[in-house]
Amino acid sequence: VRRALAHAINKNAIIKGVLLDKGKVATGPFVPQTWAYNENVRDYEYNPELARKLLFESGWQDMDNDGILEKKVVLDNKETVLKFKFTLITNQGNKSRQLAAEIIQQQLKNVGIKVDIQTIEWSVFINNFINTRNFDAVFLGWTTGVDPDQYLIWHSGQTKPEQYNF
């Protein structure tokens, strides 16, 4: 499913439409202009047909023809049907994130995934959602210097509630 999501999102369209072609696709946590960036990491090309195929192989299909994929699962010993939908949150005041979220929303809709976008004031965003891990998906970013040290963000020792490895 994660591979399908990666194939369903046209990163170059986001760079062109949001950043006015002033960016480059990154394939990891490091900025392409830094020494730590690895150009050999494989990118997932935009391929919505492959995304649909991978989702179908994972059991997701549009059973009721409403444009949203569903999957039969067993919860509490009862078979139920789940819709493939989630909420993507981001912070107010960042127009680039808002625009990119809207592009992603449309691209995922094209493969049968419903995404709701919620834009939240910064302090509420951090205190009520990020710090409490109360979200389905989040659009957030960190800035690093030219000598990137990702310890505070990704290290396994950084998992306390007030830390960022969530």
Side-chain angles (χ1 to χ4, degrees), residues 1 17 27 33-34 46 78 83 110 157:
V1 171
T27 56
Q33 295 79 12
T34 64
Y46 175 60
K78 284 177 51 178
K83 294 259 186 205
N110 290 341

Side-chain angles (χ1 to χ4, degrees), residues 78-93:
K78 284 177 51 178
E79 187 174 85
T80 188
V81 176
L82 295 180
K83 294 259 186 205
F84 200 150
K85 63 181 181 174
F86 61 90
T87 300
L88 173 62
I89 65 168
T90 194
N91 61 290
Q92 284 180 350

Side-chain angles (χ1 to χ4, degrees), residues 13-48:
I14 294 169
I15 291 170
K16 184 174 183 166
V18 176
L19 302 177
L20 305 176
D21 252 350
K22 305 284 188 218
K24 181 178 176 183
V25 172
T27 56
F30 299 106
V31 178
Q33 295 79 12
T34 64
W35 65 267
Y37 182 73
N38 182 350
E39 291 183 8
N40 298 316
V41 174
R42 185 181 72 175
D43 185 19
Y44 292 91
E45 77 278 357
Y46 175 60
N47 187 334

Side-chain angles (χ1 to χ4, degrees), residues 26-118:
T27 56
F30 299 106
V31 178
Q33 295 79 12
T34 64
W35 65 267
Y37 182 73
N38 182 350
E39 291 183 8
N40 298 316
V41 174
R42 185 181 72 175
D43 185 19
Y44 292 91
E45 77 278 357
Y46 175 60
N47 187 334
E49 285 304 315
L50 178 57
R52 286 184 200 94
K53 178 179 180 277
L54 291 170
L55 290 165
F56 182 80
E57 290 172 357
S58 297
W60 292 98
Q61 53 187 306
D62 187 2
M63 297 176 205
D64 59 6
N65 294 314
D66 67 350
I68 301 171
L69 299 174
E70 294 93 15
K71 184 175 187 176
K72 290 182 181 179
V73 297
V74 177
L75 295 173
D76 298 326
N77 295 322
K78 284 177 51 178
E79 187 174 85
T80 188
V81 176
L82 295 180
K83 294 259 186 205
F84 200 150
K85 63 181 181 174
F86 61 90
T87 300
L88 173 62
I89 65 168
T90 194
N91 61 290
Q92 284 180 350
N94 190 310
K95 190 67 173 170
S96 294
R97 286 186 191 144
Q98 179 66 34
L99 291 171
E102 290 171 8
I103 291 169
I104 291 168
Q105 178 185 47
Q106 183 60 48
Q107 292 173 348
L108 292 180
K109 179 181 179 184
N110 290 341
V111 297
I113 301 168
K114 182 176 180 356
V115 178
D116 294 316
I117 300 169
Q118 187 176 3

